[in-house]
Amino acid sequence: MNIVQNNVHDYEEKAELLKALAHPVRLCIVDGLLQNECNVTKIRECLELPQSTVSQHLSILKSRGIIKGRRRGTEICYTVSNELVRELMKILTGKNVHIQGPEGKK
Amino acid sequence: MNIVQNNVHDYEEKAELLKALAHPVRLCIVDGLLQNECNVTKIRECLELPQSTVSQHLSILKSRGIIKGRRRGTEICYTVSNELVRELMKILTGKNVHIQGPEGKK
DNA sequence: CTTTAAAATCGTAATATACAAATATAAAAA
DNA sequence: TTTTTATATTTGTATATTACGATTTTAAAG
């Protein structure tokens, strides 16, 4: 009876969130921002990518509500603003985790 | 303090995993399979998509090690085979993972 | 006002992805 | 064997994503 009866439509929003995270540069940025908020120039220097490329990745993350930036003079300082993403990253990167259900599968 | 000093390369594998999940149909399939293993025909009927389309999505999930199928006669029965993905889905869907859950969520 | 620094946006070529029809394969049934 | 059922793979094509230089915007400083 209850198979994959879920409505595909219900997953569109979540798929959008994952899609925004599903790029090595963006994952790296998010993981970095989880440890320290940071402006674009620093990110650019660390990743050794053109400014416009970094800015576009930030724009994608921002448009999905994953990060937000606040202006500080001429810089813009980014931080992770999404609690769900924080949790996902914890699981994904294995940092700070407590996984492993009661019945170990090993 | 330390910035985004992480190596982008380290995130490629994880990005691949997320990319495989980052599609509404595939999310729906994975979430469905977390509750019940299922063959392709059932999935196809539930999603009302052409067989080839479903098969291609399954193929992507399989190639990333997210699901695995075992043959049962002429059918192939799929299940979620990746513990990390189970954890991610728990966070993402807000469900506390339970086998069963009778037609509750209408 | 003009200049400078930081960041965003635009234009576009290269690449990747999604989809469905057609075709292929594998196992069971006849 | 031949046929049938279930699933996989191939193929063509439309659409989306990505990367990056060039340009533009924004805000502070002179």
Side-chain angles (χ1 to χ4, degrees):
Chain A
M1 298 277 207
N2 55 345
I3 315 298
V4 187
Q5 99 233 39
N6 306 317
N7 191 339
V8 177
H9 186 68
D10 299 339
Y11 293 93
E12 269 158 20
E13 204 180 327
K14 280 152 188 172
E16 285 301 306
L17 188 78
L18 292 182
K19 209 157 57 167
L21 288 175
H23 186 290
V25 167
R26 293 198 290 269
L27 263 187
C28 188
I29 290 173
V30 170
D31 203 24
L33 290 180
L34 280 173
Q35 302 167 250
N36 329 263
E37 61 174 29
C38 196
N39 65 26
V40 180
T41 299
K42 270 186 188 165
I43 295 172
R44 186 180 68 65
E45 286 167 1
C46 292
L47 300 180
E48 298 179 296
L49 287 172
Q51 178 264 322
S52 67
T53 301
V54 172
S55 215
Q56 278 174 123
H57 284 303
L58 290 171
S59 167
I60 288 169
L61 291 169
K62 199 167 31 172
S63 75
R64 304 292 206 272
I66 294 172
I67 65 177
K68 68 174 203 286
R70 77 173 209 289
R71 242 201 153 97
R72 221 172 40 186
T74 169
E75 300 177 351
I76 294 178
C77 205
Y78 284 97
T79 52
V80 176
S81 58
N82 186 311
E83 191 54 38
L84 183 58
V85 168
R86 278 209 186 83
E87 294 298 318
L88 288 175
M89 291 299 291
K90 251 194 279 188
I91 301 289
L92 193 67
T93 64
K95 295 172 188 166
N96 215 10
V97 199
H98 55 299
I99 317 179
Q100 220 47 279
E103 69 228 59
K105 71 167 224 173
K106 316 194 162 162
Chain B
M1 326 287 188
N2 54 354
I3 325 293
V4 186
Q5 97 236 43
N6 306 315
N7 190 337
V8 177
H9 185 68
D10 299 340
Y11 292 93
E12 269 158 20
E13 202 180 328
K14 279 152 188 174
E16 285 300 306
L17 187 77
L18 291 183
K19 212 155 56 165
L21 287 175
H23 186 290
V25 167
R26 293 197 292 270
L27 263 188
C28 188
I29 290 173
V30 170
D31 202 26
L33 290 180
L34 281 172
Q35 301 167 253
N36 329 264
E37 61 174 31
C38 196
N39 65 26
V40 180
T41 299
K42 269 184 188 167
I43 295 172
R44 188 181 67 64
E45 286 167 359
C46 291
L47 299 180
E48 296 179 297
L49 287 172
Q51 179 264 323
S52 68
T53 301
V54 171
S55 215
Q56 280 170 86
H57 284 303
L58 290 171
S59 167
I60 289 169
L61 292 169
K62 201 167 29 174
S63 75
R64 303 295 206 272
I66 294 171
I67 64 175
K68 67 176 202 291
R70 77 173 209 290
R71 247 209 146 91
R72 220 172 41 185
T74 170
E75 299 176 351
I76 295 178
C77 206
Y78 283 97
T79 52
V80 175
S81 59
N82 186 308
E83 190 57 35
L84 182 59
V85 168
R86 279 209 187 82
E87 294 298 323
L88 288 174
M89 291 298 290
K90 245 195 282 190
I91 302 289
L92 193 67
T93 64
K95 295 173 190 168
N96 258 358
V97 142
H98 259 301
I99 331 290
Q100 291 211 17
E103 64 286 343
K105 76 164 279 192
K106 293 265 168 122

